[in-house]
Amino acid sequence: MPKDWYEWHDLYNTEPTLQQRLEIVREYIAYSLNASPDGAIRIVSVCAGDGRDLLGTLKNHPRINDVYARLVELNPQLVERGRATIESLGLTKQIEFINGDATLATNYVGAVPADIAIACGVLGHVAEKIELNRLINNLSFLSKRGAFFIWTRGHSDGISYSDNVRKTLGASGFEEVNFKLTAIGNMAVGIHRYLGENLPQPKEQQLFVFSGVPSKAR
């Protein structure tokens, strides 16, 4: 099993389920870009890894020059790899990769409210219901009215954990746009749209607590 998140992300090269999840995430990012109004598109990515979901989508997307994004990731090796991709795409003036704690509101100041917020591989590591509610409530700081929110959640032991995510989002001012499972049904990807108002200040400086470890990630 992977010992750190850099090693974990290399599983995308060999693990079909992760590849399927990534494909759906990229589909939803592309949809969000296509559906965004003309002009600049502001994006934030929480616990961004190496940014392969967003950067892989932008590579061949016609709205690549409209995007201004901030990706936040704690692992320095993943950030380094992501920054190299940004440079290869010629997007260093549009996309910044912050090597920092994605749970802290200060790392998003100046980049929000966003048109698209991405939290993939995150919700399974805020497993306590109170922490899930905390994160979703704080999305009103990250997101402008009408923003898209793209998320993932793993299923295990016959439990559809995504059901609770969808219910919580619906009760917090988010309208479901689409939802898909990977082929064997053990990973879910959702896209919602925020119908509420943006909060100029976060409800809390720590947006959520990330409790996961790579060897148990889903």
Side-chain angles (χ1 to χ4, degrees), residues 13-216:
N13 299 322
T14 58
E15 176 58 54
T17 302
L18 284 176
Q19 293 168 351
Q20 292 167 22
R21 186 179 78 171
L22 178 61
E23 182 178 352
I24 300 170
V25 170
R26 286 177 173 172
E27 174 190 334
Y28 288 172
I29 293 173
Y31 172 89
S32 302
L33 293 170
N34 293 336
S36 294
D38 292 342
I41 304 171
R42 187 174 288 188
I43 301 174
V44 293
S45 183
V46 179
C47 299
D50 57 11
R52 68 178 64 203
D53 46 12
L54 175 61
L55 301 177
T57 306
L58 291 177
K59 184 177 181 180
N60 297 307
H61 198 278
R63 299 204 62 183
I64 184 172
N65 293 322
D66 293 333
V67 169
Y68 294 86
R70 180 177 295 176
L71 292 74
V72 185
E73 169 60 44
L74 190 59
N75 184 289
Q77 292 174 290
L78 289 170
V79 173
E80 183 179 353
R81 187 156 69 186
R83 286 174 177 167
T85 303
I86 291 169
E87 186 173 357
S88 72
L89 293 173
L91 296 175
T92 54
K93 294 183 178 180
Q94 295 172 234
I95 300 179
E96 56 181 337
F97 219 131
I98 301 295
N99 185 195
D101 188 342
T103 74
L104 300 181
T106 52
N107 281 321
Y108 302 95
V109 173
V112 294
D115 299 284
I116 303 170
I118 303 169
C120 294
V122 178
L123 302 185
H125 304 292
V126 290
E128 294 294 332
K129 187 174 181 180
I130 188 171
E131 282 300 323
L132 176 64
N133 290 341
R134 181 180 177 186
L135 171 55
I136 290 176
N137 285 336
N138 278 308
L139 288 173
S140 57
F141 163 65
L142 298 179
S143 310
K144 65 174 59 174
R145 184 178 181 87
F148 293 100
F149 174 54
I150 300 167
W151 56 275
T152 63
R153 183 64 170 96
H155 292 178
S156 62
D157 300 323
I159 301 174
S160 298
Y161 290 106
S162 61
D163 291 346
N164 187 45
V165 176
R166 298 166 82 184
K167 180 179 178 181
T168 304
L169 284 167
S172 302
F174 287 82
E175 178 183 62
E176 186 166 285
V177 177
N178 207 343
F179 174 83
K180 289 184 180 181
L181 294 172
T182 52
I184 62 173
N186 69 333
M187 290 188 181
V189 186
I191 176 172
H192 281 67
R193 195 158 202 177
Y194 182 50
L195 304 180
E197 297 296 332
N198 169 253
L199 292 182
Q201 299 293 329
K203 295 181 179 180
E204 304 171 75
Q205 286 302 312
Q206 186 167 27
L207 305 179
F208 62 99
V209 173
F210 188 89
S211 59
V213 295
S215 62
K216 297 180 180 179

